[in-house]
C-alpha cells in the first residue's frame, strides 16, 4: 500500500524511538502473557497435558501446536535422516554421475517416499501424477485445472480418508501422506500448465523416426521429468513451493561449489531458530490458551496483545525452521529456493504479507492464477476476479474450513482496499495536494498511520488462520468492539511504530 511518491528517511532519534517502542511492546506483552500462563499452569495442564520441559529449567512445554509437534516428531523419526541421505547422494552424484543427477534425485526421492509413506502411498501419488500428465496432453489449461481441482477434492472424501487411514498404524502417517499429496498437487498443476503453454520445452528431445515411437518417447520423457520434479526429496513433504519452470531451468545449470562456512552458518541459524521456537512454547503456553475460549475471555488487554503477537511470531519462526532446513539442501544442489519468510512484525500491509512471507506460494499464485486471469492489466473487474480466485484457491487447497473462509475473505478485502488507497493517493490531483501540503517526512508518517489500521486487520486475519474462528471472533469482540475506546490509542500507536520500522526496512 505504498503510494508512488518517494519515501525518505526520518531523523535517527525518531527511528530509535520507533524501534524502542516496538521492542518494548513485544517484550512487555510477552511478559504479561507469560505471567498469565504461569498463573493458570495447573488448570492448563489438566486440560491439555503440558509436557515436561527440557529446554528451560522449571518450565513445562506447550505441545498443542499440531504442526510443530508433527514435524519435530517426523524429523527425529525419519525425515532428518532421509534429508541427510539426500545430501550425501547429491554429493556423490555431483562427483561421479553429473549427467544423471536428475535421475538420481528421482530415484532417491521415490525410494525415500516408499520407505516413509509405504508402497500404497507412493501409488496414490503416482496415480495423481499420471492422471495430470494424461490430461495435460490435451494442451487445455481449463481441462488441466478441472482435473487438478477434482484430484484435490478427493483429499476431503471421507471414504478415501478412511481407506488411507487403514493403511497405517498411526494417524501421523496418514497426515504425512495427506500433506505430501496436497503439495504434490501444486507441482502437478505447475507442470501441466507449463506443458499447455510450452509443449516442446516440456516434451524433451525430438529425434525418433517413427511418429508413434516419438510420441511414446516424449510421453516417457515427460513422465520422468514430472516424477523427478514431484519427488525431489528436500521439497517433497512441505515445500517451499517451486514452479516447474524454475526447477527445470535451475536443475540443468552447473552446480556452484558451496563453502563449508556457508553450510555451518546455515546449520547454526537453524539451531538458533529451533531454540527460539522451543523457548517460546516453554515460556508462554500460547496454543493451549488460544484453544480454550474461557482463557481467551479472561486475558487482560496486554496479555491478549501478547498472545496475538506470539501466535504470528511463532508461526514465522516455525517456518524459518521448516523452510530454512530444506532451503539449505536445495542450495547445495545448485537450485535457488524461494526467499525465507520476512519477520511478521515488520509487515504493514496485506500485500506485503503475501509478497514476503511464503514467497514460493506467492509466485505460484501470480504465475498460474493471477496473471492468466488478467491481473491488473485488464481493468478493475479482472483484478478483482483474479484476486478473488487466487484467495479462493488457497482456501480450497488448505481444506476450505470455515475459519479459512473468513481468513481468505479478510485478505481479499484487505488487498483490494490497499490497492484502492494506493490508486487514490497516486491520482494526480490528490498527489499534488499532498506534495504541496506535506513534507516528505510527513507523507511517510501519514502512510505509517494508515498502515497501522491495515496491520490491525492483517493481524486479525492471521488469528483466524492460526487459531480458528473462535480466536478471531473473541479478538474482534474484545479489541475492536468492547474495549476499543480504551485500547485504540495504544494499539494504533504501537502498530504505527511497527509500520515505521517496516517502511525503514523496505528502504534499505
Amino acid at each position: 500500500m505504498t503510494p508512488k511518491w518517494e519515501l525518505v528517511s526520518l531523523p535517527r532519534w525518531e527511528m530509535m524511538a520507533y524501534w524502542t517502542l516496538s521492542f518494548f511492546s513485544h517484550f512487555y506483552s510477552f511478559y504479561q502473557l507469560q505471567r498469565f500462563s504461569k498463573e493458570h499452569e495447573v488448570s492448563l495442564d489438566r486440560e491439555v497435558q503440558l509436557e515436561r520441559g527440557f529446554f528451560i529449567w522449571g518450565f513445562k512445554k506447550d505441545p498443542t501446536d499440531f504442526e510443530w509437534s508433527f514435524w519435530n516428531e517426523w524429523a527425529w523419526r525419519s525425515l532428518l535422516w532421509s534429508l541427510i541421505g539426500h545430501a550425501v547422494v547429491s554429493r556423490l552424484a555431483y562427483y561421479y554421475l553429473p549427467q544423471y543427477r536428475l535421475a538420481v534425485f528421482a530415484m532417491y526421492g521415490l525410494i525415500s517416499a516408499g520407505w516413509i509413506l509405504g508402497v500404497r502411498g507412493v501409488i496414490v501419488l503416482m496415480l495423481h501424477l499420471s492422471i495430470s500428465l494424461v490430461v495435460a496432453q490435451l494442451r487445455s489449461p481449463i481441462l488441466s485445472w478441472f482435473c487438478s481441482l477434482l484430484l484435490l477434492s478427493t483429499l476431503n472424501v471421507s471414504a478415501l480418508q478412511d481407506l488411507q487411514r487403514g493403511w497405517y498404524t498411526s494417524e501421523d502417517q496418514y497426515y504425512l501422506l495427506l500433506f505430501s499429496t496436497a503439495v504434490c498437487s501444486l507441482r502437478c498443476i505447475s507442470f501441466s500448465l507449463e506443458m499447455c503453454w510450452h509443449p516442446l520445452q516440456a516434451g524433451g528431445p525430438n529425434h525418433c523416426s517413427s511418429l508413434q515411437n516419438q510420441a511414446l518417447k516424449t510421453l516417457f520423457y515427460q513422465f520422468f521429468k514430472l516424477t523427478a520434479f514431484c519427488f525431489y526429496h528436500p521439497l517433497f513433504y512441505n515445500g517451499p513451493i517451486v514452479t516447474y519452470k524454475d526447477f527445470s531451468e535451475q536443475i540443468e545449470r552447473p552446480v556452484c561449489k558451496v563453502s563449508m562456512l556457508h553450510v555451518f552458518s546455515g546449520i547454526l541459524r537453524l539451531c538458533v531458530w529451533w531454540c527460539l521456537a522451543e523457548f517460546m512454547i516453554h515460556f508462554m503456553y500460547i496454543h493451549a490458551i488460544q484453544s480454550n475460549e474461557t482463557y481467551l475471555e479472561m486475558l487482560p488487554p496486554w496479555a491478549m496483545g501478547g498472545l496475538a503477537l506470539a501466535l504470528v511470531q511463532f508461526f514465522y519462526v516455525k517456518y524459518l525452521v521448516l523452510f530454512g532446513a530444506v532451503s539449505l539442501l536445495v542450495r547445495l544442489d545448485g537450485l535457488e529456493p524461494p526467499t525465507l519468510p520476512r519477520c511478521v512484525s515488520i509487515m504493514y500491509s496485506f500485500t506485503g504479507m503475501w509478497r514476503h512471507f511464503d514467497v514460493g506460494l506467492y509466485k505460484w499464485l501470480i504465475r498460474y492464477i493471477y496473471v492468466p486471469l488478467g491481473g491488473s492489466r485488464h481493468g478493475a473487474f479482472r483484478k478483482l476476479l483474479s484476486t478473488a480466485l487466487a484467495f479462493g484457491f488457497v482456501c480450497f487447497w488448505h481444506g476450505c474450513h470455515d475459519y479459512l473462509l473468513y481468513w481468505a475473505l479478510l485478505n481479499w478485502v484487505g488487498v483490494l482496499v490497499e490497492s484502492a488507497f494506493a490508486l487514490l493517493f497516486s491520482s494526480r490531483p490528490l498527489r499534488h495536494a499532498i506534495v504541496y501540503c506535506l513534507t516528505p517526512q510527513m507523507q511517510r508518517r501519514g502512510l505509517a498511520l494508515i498502515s497501522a489500521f491495515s496491520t490491525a486487520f492483517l493481524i486479525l486475519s492471521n488469528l483466524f488462520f492460526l487459531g480458528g474462528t473462535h480466536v478471531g471472533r473473541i479478538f474482534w469482540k474484545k479489541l475492536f468492539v468492547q474495549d476499543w475506546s480504551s485500547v485504540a490509542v495504544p494499539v494504533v500507536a504501537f502498530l504505527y511504530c511497527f509500520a515505521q520500522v517496516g517502511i525503514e526496512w523496505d528502504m534499505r
Side-chain angles (χ1 to χ4, degrees):
M1 196 181 66
T2 305
K4 299 299 182 184
W5 56 73
E6 184 178 355
L7 297 173
V8 297
S9 298
L10 296 176
R12 181 171 296 183
W13 66 266
E14 185 175 349
M15 283 309 305
M16 285 298 298
Y18 294 144
W19 276 100
T20 302
L21 289 172
S22 296
F23 278 114
F24 167 78
S25 62
H26 278 76
F27 288 128
Y28 187 71
S29 60
F30 289 164
Y31 166 70
Q32 291 295 327
L33 180 61
Q34 191 272 332
R35 284 186 58 187
F36 185 88
S37 300
K38 295 301 290 184
E39 288 171 3
H40 298 86
E41 182 177 274
V42 175
S43 55
L44 284 169
D45 193 11
R46 282 199 302 266
E47 294 194 19
V48 302
Q49 296 181 337
L50 299 174
E51 293 182 357
R52 183 177 180 181
F54 66 91
F55 195 70
I56 306 176
W57 184 262
F59 282 76
K60 293 186 176 181
K61 173 185 173 180
D62 178 3
T64 52
D65 182 71
F66 169 79
E67 198 172 26
W68 182 249
S69 299
F70 177 86
W71 290 116
N72 260 302
E73 181 180 344
W74 271 107
W76 294 115
R77 186 191 302 181
S78 57
L79 293 184
L80 180 61
W81 318 118
S82 66
L83 289 173
I84 293 173
H86 172 89
V88 173
V89 169
S90 174
R91 288 293 92 189
L92 292 175
Y94 169 72
Y95 286 113
Y96 300 109
L97 297 168
Q99 67 273 34
Y100 299 112
R101 271 199 332 135
L102 190 60
V104 171
F105 289 159
M107 184 62 65
Y108 183 84
L110 281 167
I111 293 172
S112 297
W115 172 48
I116 296 173
L117 296 177
V119 175
R120 283 176 287 194
V122 173
I123 291 174
V124 169
L125 292 167
M126 296 300 284
L127 188 62
H128 278 246
L129 268 65
S130 302
I131 295 172
S132 297
L133 180 60
V134 169
V135 174
Q137 302 305 308
L138 301 174
R139 306 287 190 259
S140 170
I142 294 176
L143 286 178
S144 289
W145 264 113
F146 179 77
C147 171
S148 299
L149 293 175
L150 196 62
L151 289 172
L152 258 178
S153 66
T154 61
L155 300 182
N156 298 315
V157 176
S158 299
L160 290 177
Q161 290 176 341
D162 294 339
L163 175 66
Q164 291 171 1
R165 280 187 171 95
W167 297 344
Y168 301 109
T169 57
S170 71
E171 191 82 353
D172 284 352
Q173 290 174 293
Y174 162 72
Y175 279 121
L176 192 63
L177 173 62
L178 182 66
F179 297 155
S180 305
T181 309
V183 175
C184 182
S185 68
L186 296 185
R187 299 193 187 101
C188 288
I189 294 172
S190 175
F191 184 89
S192 298
L193 293 179
E194 297 293 345
M195 280 275 296
C196 294
W197 297 336
H198 311 289
L200 293 178
Q201 184 178 359
N206 212 1
H207 47 70
C208 295
S209 56
S210 166
L211 290 177
Q212 185 176 2
N213 289 339
Q214 176 182 319
L216 188 61
K217 181 174 181 179
T218 298
L219 185 63
F220 277 116
Y221 178 82
Q222 292 167 355
F223 186 73
F224 163 68
K225 287 284 190 177
L226 177 58
T227 303
F229 175 48
C230 289
F231 281 88
Y232 177 63
H233 190 62
L235 305 178
F236 178 68
Y237 294 101
N238 195 41
I241 306 303
V242 175
T243 66
Y244 176 71
K245 179 178 183 294
D246 290 339
F247 179 84
S248 60
E249 291 174 354
Q250 295 173 16
I251 201 69
E252 301 295 338
R253 295 187 313 205
V255 179
C256 299
K257 289 187 177 181
V258 180
S259 68
M260 293 305 296
L261 179 62
H262 174 81
V263 174
F264 284 122
S265 64
I267 294 174
L268 180 60
R269 281 196 301 271
L270 279 174
C271 293
V272 171
W273 295 332
W274 183 86
C275 290
L276 180 58
E278 285 291 328
F279 176 83
M280 290 182 72
I281 57 178
H282 280 76
F283 187 70
M284 300 171 288
Y285 305 142
I286 308 166
H287 305 96
I289 293 172
Q290 63 95 14
S291 64
N292 191 301
E293 293 190 31
T294 302
Y295 295 110
L296 289 173
E297 295 283 2
M298 293 167 56
L299 281 170
W302 269 105
M304 175 158 279
L307 180 63
L309 290 174
L311 281 169
V312 295
Q313 284 290 352
F314 182 81
F315 186 68
Y316 160 65
V317 176
K318 174 170 62 180
Y319 271 86
L320 283 180
V321 175
L322 296 178
F323 285 175
V326 297
S327 294
L328 183 61
L329 288 176
V330 167
R331 282 196 173 89
L332 290 175
D333 290 337
L335 280 71
E336 186 60 36
T339 307
L340 292 179
R342 180 188 290 188
C343 178
V344 290
S345 290
I346 57 174
M347 302 283 196
Y348 56 95
S349 68
F350 284 90
T351 308
M353 184 72 180
W354 278 94
R355 187 171 293 161
H356 298 298
F357 191 82
D358 192 340
V359 177
L361 180 59
Y362 171 77
K363 290 182 177 179
W364 192 98
L365 293 170
I366 292 295
R367 180 164 179 82
Y368 300 118
I369 298 180
Y370 186 76
V371 170
L373 290 174
S376 58
R377 299 172 300 173
H378 299 285
F381 176 76
R382 292 287 289 273
K383 181 174 183 177
L384 185 147
L385 177 65
S386 55
T387 308
L389 289 178
F391 285 122
F393 174 78
V394 174
C395 177
F396 179 71
W397 181 65
H398 277 92
C400 212
H401 304 291
D402 56 348
Y403 69 92
L404 292 170
L405 294 173
Y406 287 112
W407 168 74
L409 182 61
L410 281 170
N411 276 270
W412 180 56
V413 172
V415 168
L416 292 180
V417 169
E418 289 175 359
S419 299
F421 266 88
L423 186 64
L424 176 65
F425 287 136
S426 299
S427 63
R428 182 169 296 180
L430 185 56
R431 180 180 178 184
H432 285 171
I434 292 174
V435 171
Y436 179 78
C437 297
L438 299 176
T439 65
Q441 288 82 4
M442 288 304 299
Q443 293 174 30
R444 171 174 165 173
R445 294 181 185 112
L447 173 63
L449 181 61
I450 296 172
S451 299
F453 291 94
S454 181
T455 305
F457 285 95
L458 175 62
I459 293 174
L460 179 66
S461 74
N462 286 328
L463 292 176
F464 274 101
F465 180 75
L466 299 173
T469 306
H470 70 285
V471 175
R473 176 175 51 80
I474 291 174
F475 268 85
W476 169 262
K477 181 182 71 173
K478 293 196 69 174
L479 294 182
F480 291 91
V481 179
Q482 290 181 352
D483 301 330
W484 181 247
S485 58
S486 58
V487 303
V489 173
V491 166
V492 172
F494 286 121
L495 293 180
Y496 170 82
C497 295
F498 296 174
Q500 287 287 17
V501 172
I503 292 171
E504 190 72 17
W505 188 270
D506 284 339
M507 289 174 58
R508 294 184 311 157

